[in-house]
Amino acid sequence: MPRQHTYDLVIAANRLPVDRVVGPDGSSEWHRSPGGLVTAMESVMRGREGAWVGWAGEAGEAPAPFAEAGMWLHPVPLSEDELQTYYEGFSNDTLWPIYHDVIVPAHFHREWWQDYQRVNERFAEAVCEVAAPGARVWIHDYQLQLVPALVRRLRPDLRIGWFNHIPFPPVELFAQLPWRSQIIEGLLGADYLGFQRSADAANFVRAARQLDGRSTRGETVTTTHPDGRERVVRASSVPISIDYAGLEQLARSPEVLARAEQIRTSLGDPEIVMLGVDRLDYTKGIRHRLKAYEELLSEGAFCPPEVTFVQVATPSRERVEAYKRLRTEVETTVGRINGTYGTLGSPAVHYLHQSYPREEMAALFQVADVMLVTPLRDGMNLVAKEYVTCRHDLGGALVLSEFTGAWHELHQSFVCNPHDIEGLKQTMLRAIETDPKDRRRLMRASRRRVSEHDVQRWADRFLDNLASAPERPTPKRA
Ligand code: GDG
């Protein structure tokens, strides 16, 4: 792709969609990161001359901009200190807990906030550097909530959208944030704000009205410019999805099918395989599902080798205290369950604190008779959508928490409230015992939903909403 100085579509996200991979000879190259967002953006960018602004994954000086995966990648530098303050601190230890129902307490530090502002300014400047006149800018997620207003101040010609991958909290929780007004003001710099659920969009609109005195109507918030002109910002839901066709094709490949058989055999060919796949994060309800499973074992509802539970817990945010504590708790529990209920060669829990290639994940999904998706709060949860996509055989059963965005689309699953351990146990048993014919019907319905609402449709809907946002400031009403 030829180097250009400015682009008509600019994506800004905390991370660039590539990772540097160093070969045995010390030479390094960029590899596309796995994940739906990259796939979605790649297809959005195709033939459109797009740029992506984000951190390249290594502290210190940023690499020079470069072309990769059909996009112009513009790295933003982050120092080791900023990684601790802006990213691990303010983003993941202040905002993340507040936006996820304060499952763990949020920490407030003024230095973290200062660095969050500074890094957001840096991202905004980078966006303005690569954006062509009148370009569309699509900003992602809670790390960059000040960027919309910062970009608008520098470049009022741009059309600005922001999408929140995580929930937006109820006003009572958001109110705890000492910098709540600045965040609202930052977001209101956008023309359009996209959320996973309509409840998230409504939470934002309510926060703007109740905490910041903005005038609101339905899905819109009105902001007033210093010169008295008004601008209307729309906030609505556009639930994210996955690359259904691509993943389905992978799941049907002979290699993945063979690997699934191999995994089942290596697990000792149990009658029931339960599976959890999550980042090791306290929002995901891993402890709750382990507790329910342990109680079912202790009550003799089933026992190994007839049943086994595979938990893939991908390492995540390992320097943040709450994540260290969670890891200790989960690993202690797994040890206790295996010590009590495992038999030689047949552990009750296969715990994997590792991350795997996509092919392996697709094979695991096919092995899982019961998929346990039990978050206490989750913006969407793509794992639930990936699981049903991989079940082209219509086998398996999805146990899904009502506190995920995914549940609002996948009603035809075994719904659970993970806080209700007794209820969760009954749901797990129901998922196992339900007539296979009925399970197939549920699986078919879930698959249809995901196939008709894939990641491409999500991206198109977001960009349509951005395009139809009010064209320019409306004159102040008399
Ligand atoms: C945030 C929001 C929202 C996991 N382990 C491996 C692996 N994964 C993949 C999964 C899935 C992705 O990572 C995780 O996505 P989730 O949606 O489940 O959760 P978050 O990471 O918390 O994502 C969430 C999402 O943003 C998108 O808007 O849905 O609510 O919290 O794709 O499959 N992939 C591979 N190896 C692993 O070991 N290859």
Side-chain angles (χ1 to χ4, degrees):
M1 192 165 75
R3 158 100 222 236
Q4 288 207 353
H5 291 286
T6 58
Y7 294 83
D8 288 332
L9 178 62
V10 179
I11 308 292
N14 177 61
R15 272 295 262 120
L16 283 176
V18 289
D19 299 302
R20 194 201 290 274
V21 177
V22 181
D25 60 351
S27 67
S28 74
E29 48 186 43
W30 296 99
H31 284 196
R32 204 187 86 155
S33 333
L37 186 58
V38 184
T39 314
M41 290 307 134
E42 233 178 24
S43 46
V44 168
M45 295 276 197
R46 209 166 291 142
R48 280 194 206 199
E49 298 294 334
W52 188 311
V53 169
W55 180 52
E58 290 156 9
E61 219 176 296
F66 57 102
E68 188 68 55
M71 299 170 225
W72 185 250
L73 304 185
H74 188 98
V76 175
L78 289 179
S79 67
E80 184 51 51
D81 266 5
E82 286 165 347
L83 280 174
Q84 283 173 30
T85 53
Y86 144 79
Y87 184 68
E88 288 167 355
F90 198 78
S91 297
N92 289 330
D93 210 11
T94 305
L95 294 173
W96 184 269
I98 292 216
Y99 284 40
H100 289 89
D101 292 359
V102 200
I103 297 166
V104 303
H107 294 105
F108 304 115
H109 293 294
R110 281 160 281 188
E111 317 80 72
W112 290 0
W113 163 244
Q114 271 156 19
D115 278 5
Y116 183 82
Q117 288 173 282
R118 203 177 54 233
V119 170
N120 270 246
E121 279 163 19
R122 194 176 304 151
F123 269 82
E125 281 157 16
V127 165
C128 295
E129 213 178 296
V130 294
R136 287 169 305 165
V137 178
W138 184 349
I139 302 155
H140 289 266
D141 234 358
Y142 61 105
Q143 302 94 348
L144 303 180
Q145 293 179 94
L146 306 179
V147 174
L150 292 165
V151 167
R152 180 169 298 280
R153 200 169 305 147
L154 295 167
R155 290 284 302 275
D157 60 300
L158 301 177
R159 172 65 52 113
I160 305 164
W162 175 81
F163 180 78
N164 197 28
H165 290 257
I166 67 173
F168 197 88
V171 68
E172 294 78 5
L173 297 181
F174 185 69
Q176 290 183 16
L177 195 62
W179 306 282
R180 63 200 194 187
S181 289
Q182 290 95 316
I183 299 272
I184 292 171
E185 192 186 331
L187 292 175
L188 288 175
D191 294 288
Y192 173 66
L193 300 168
F195 295 86
Q196 302 276 27
R197 301 172 309 153
S198 44
D200 297 313
N203 284 345
F204 171 76
V205 171
R206 203 170 303 125
R209 183 173 65 244
Q210 290 182 11
L211 301 177
D212 213 38
R214 308 285 179 150
S215 115
T216 68
R217 192 167 175 201
E219 290 184 334
T220 60
V221 181
T222 303
T223 69
T224 309
H225 284 243
D227 64 6
R229 286 180 311 161
E230 288 183 343
R231 205 166 54 78
V232 173
V233 181
R234 181 174 169 223
S236 72
S237 73
V238 269
I240 197 169
S241 194
I242 59 160
D243 173 20
Y244 180 87
L247 184 58
E248 229 251 348
Q249 194 185 8
L250 179 76
R252 284 183 189 276
S253 71
E255 295 77 17
V256 168
L257 294 173
R259 178 64 191 143
E261 290 218 353
Q262 218 176 47
I263 293 174
R264 196 159 199 115
T265 308
S266 69
L267 291 173
D269 217 356
E271 274 167 47
I272 304 148
V273 177
M274 303 207 184
L275 175 67
V277 171
D278 316 79
R279 276 187 308 100
L280 186 47
D281 194 301
Y282 50 79
T283 59
K284 303 291 183 182
I286 300 171
R287 287 184 306 120
H288 295 65
R289 84 179 69 126
L290 282 171
K291 189 172 174 60
Y293 180 64
E294 184 174 19
E295 287 191 14
L296 286 170
L297 290 170
S298 91
E299 290 159 11
F302 42 55
C303 57
E306 152 201 342
V307 68
T308 197
F309 175 24
V310 179
Q311 175 66 54
V312 177
T314 314
S316 184
R317 305 175 189 168
E318 294 189 283
R319 299 196 299 191
V320 179
E321 208 45 55
Y323 289 76
K324 290 186 194 163
R325 265 201 306 277
L326 173 73
R327 183 171 174 193
T328 306
E329 279 175 35
V330 165
E331 294 185 353
T332 306
T333 307
V334 168
R336 186 181 61 232
I337 298 176
N338 277 335
T340 313
Y341 303 103
T343 58
L344 277 178
S346 302
V349 183
H350 291 80
Y351 170 74
L352 305 156
H353 184 244
Q354 298 166 43
S355 88
Y356 293 92
R358 288 171 71 222
E359 294 73 12
E360 186 75 358
M361 305 308 286
L364 271 169
F365 287 142
Q366 283 178 9
V367 172
D369 301 299
V370 179
M371 183 77 212
L372 296 170
V373 178
T374 61
L376 309 179
R377 180 59 70 195
D378 212 335
M380 175 53 63
N381 195 291
L382 296 179
V383 169
K385 292 186 171 182
E386 289 163 356
Y387 175 64
V388 300
T389 299
C390 287
R391 295 315 302 245
H392 45 78
D393 60 344
L394 302 183
L398 173 64
V399 171
L400 182 59
S401 161
E402 63 186 281
F403 303 114
T404 61
W407 180 73
H408 293 263
E409 295 180 73
L410 305 179
H411 283 284
Q412 310 266 31
S413 51
F414 292 86
V415 62
C416 72
N417 168 3
H419 296 284
D420 171 11
I421 299 296
E422 204 49 51
L424 176 54
K425 284 156 60 183
Q426 294 315 316
T427 309
M428 286 160 72
L429 291 177
R430 210 153 42 80
I432 294 170
E433 286 157 8
T434 296
D435 187 322
K437 223 169 63 220
D438 294 328
R439 282 204 308 247
R440 291 167 76 82
R441 187 176 46 75
L442 296 174
M443 187 56 77
R444 189 178 290 115
S446 296
R447 287 170 54 75
R448 187 175 320 122
R449 170 73 202 188
V450 182
S451 72
E452 288 170 0
H453 295 78
D454 66 356
V455 72
Q456 191 54 52
R457 176 150 175 195
W458 165 73
D460 290 345
R461 278 188 64 199
F462 183 93
L463 290 172
D464 283 352
N465 289 345
L466 178 59
S468 60
E471 197 65 41
R472 55 179 76 83
T474 50
K476 191 170 168 57
R477 272 164 294 169

